[in-house]
Amino acid sequence: MYEFTIIVPVYNEEDNLQRVEKELLAYTKISIKKTAILFVNDGSSDGSQALIEAICQRNEAFNYISFAENCGLSAAIKAGFDYVETPLLGYIDSDLQTAPEDFNLLLQHIGEYDLVTGVRADRKDTFVKNMSSKIANGIRRTFTHDGMDDTGCPLKVIKTDYAKRIPMFNGLHRFLPAMILLQNGKIIQIPIQHFPRMAGTAKYGLWNRLFGPLVDCFAYLWMKKKYINYQVKDKG
């Protein structure tokens, strides 16, 4: 029935969820692919789960899974990959600093490419956040050679069969383009809009935006060396 599923990781975002519902519902009416929404509640301790259940009850295209405890963004994205059944998937952060309508910009390229990621143009973040992200992206490019300027951008579209083959660990959500390249897939980045956070609080500080990802680069190098990649020529 659906062609495209948007994964929405949620961790203590009760102040944002009504706006998330409004904007994603509006997007489903203009999407160039028939779109479903999958909330992944990452063990929220506020009222997020009750709001998610109410949203899903009144909107047919919305569904959810909920963790027993907080596991982190990479785990939430991986769970979304595992549960999605449509041929295409994407994800967006529940802070809505990116615009759902920009998924249409990415979907226009997904036929030729296997991952299309946004690049946040004119970022509306603090100086420290912008600089730490710029440094972290430069370090990752040195390790991965993926050519991507903004791998942390929370707006991506991926072919589901590629996404399901990605071996995830904590922090690897920043290496999704590189992990598609390991599968001999094709990737591209497209400029998108960016907005300041309207409600709730950011979940990342200087450590997990800069120093943590540096350690993850070495994990990626180990993964690249050990990654199993094969193509089936025939079956019977």
Side-chain angles (χ1 to χ4, degrees):
M1 182 177 179
Y2 295 101
E3 302 169 280
F4 176 50
T5 300
I6 299 173
I7 299 165
V8 188
V10 176
Y11 179 60
N12 292 345
E13 292 285 2
E14 62 179 348
D15 294 335
N16 276 315
L17 284 172
Q18 288 185 334
R19 189 164 68 97
V20 170
E21 175 190 17
K22 179 181 178 181
E23 295 202 18
L24 286 177
L25 183 61
Y27 174 69
T28 62
K29 299 175 181 178
I30 64 168
S31 175
I32 60 178
K33 301 285 185 181
K34 188 167 179 59
T35 301
I37 312 298
L38 177 64
F39 289 110
V40 182
N41 183 9
D42 183 20
S44 296
S45 57
D46 62 357
S48 293
Q49 181 59 27
L51 287 170
I52 288 171
E53 291 180 18
I55 291 169
C56 294
Q57 188 172 19
R58 59 179 173 255
N59 295 289
E60 181 182 2
F62 288 64
N63 209 335
Y64 75 88
I65 57 177
S66 181
F67 287 176
E69 59 185 15
N70 176 243
C71 297
L73 179 58
S74 290
I77 293 173
K78 176 64 166 64
F81 290 177
D82 291 343
Y83 278 82
V84 163
E85 297 179 350
T86 52
L88 298 174
L89 62 83
Y91 77 85
I92 188 171
D93 279 355
S94 49
D95 59 17
L96 287 186
Q97 288 191 255
T98 51
E101 61 263 30
D102 284 349
F103 273 120
N104 280 350
L105 298 176
L106 308 189
L107 286 168
Q108 291 175 18
H109 299 272
I110 197 62
E112 181 181 356
Y113 295 90
D114 305 301
L115 176 145
V116 185
T117 183
V119 178
R120 290 168 286 190
D122 190 22
R123 287 185 64 171
K124 301 299 191 296
D125 287 323
T126 65
F127 174 79
V128 172
K129 186 174 181 179
N130 283 336
M131 286 304 299
S132 59
S133 294
K134 185 175 182 179
I135 294 169
N137 276 302
I139 293 171
R140 277 192 292 273
R141 279 197 305 273
T142 300
F143 278 80
T144 64
H145 305 288
D146 60 10
M148 298 289 104
D149 298 314
D150 189 12
T151 58
C153 178
L155 199 77
K156 290 179 172 61
V157 174
I158 313 173
K159 290 179 179 175
T160 300
D161 57 344
Y162 280 82
K164 288 183 180 293
R165 292 195 296 265
I166 295 174
M168 295 286 284
F169 57 83
N170 285 336
L172 198 65
H173 61 273
R174 302 180 184 92
F175 294 83
L176 292 178
M179 296 306 294
I180 300 299
L181 289 179
L182 287 187
Q183 301 178 46
N184 298 320
K186 296 178 65 178
I187 61 176
I188 191 175
Q189 54 186 3
I190 303 295
I192 62 167
Q193 304 173 83
H194 190 248
F195 306 93
R197 177 183 269 271
M198 301 295 292
T201 57
K203 308 304 187 292
Y204 286 89
L206 184 62
W207 167 258
N208 50 23
R209 190 179 297 115
L210 183 57
F211 300 109
L214 174 60
V215 176
D216 294 338
C217 286
F218 293 98
Y220 166 77
L221 290 182
W222 179 89
M223 181 75 67
K224 182 178 181 180
K225 183 177 180 180
K226 300 292 185 179
Y227 187 75
I228 296 172
N229 196 15
Y230 66 89
Q231 291 182 331
V232 175
K233 180 180 179 180
D234 196 7
K235 62 181 180 178

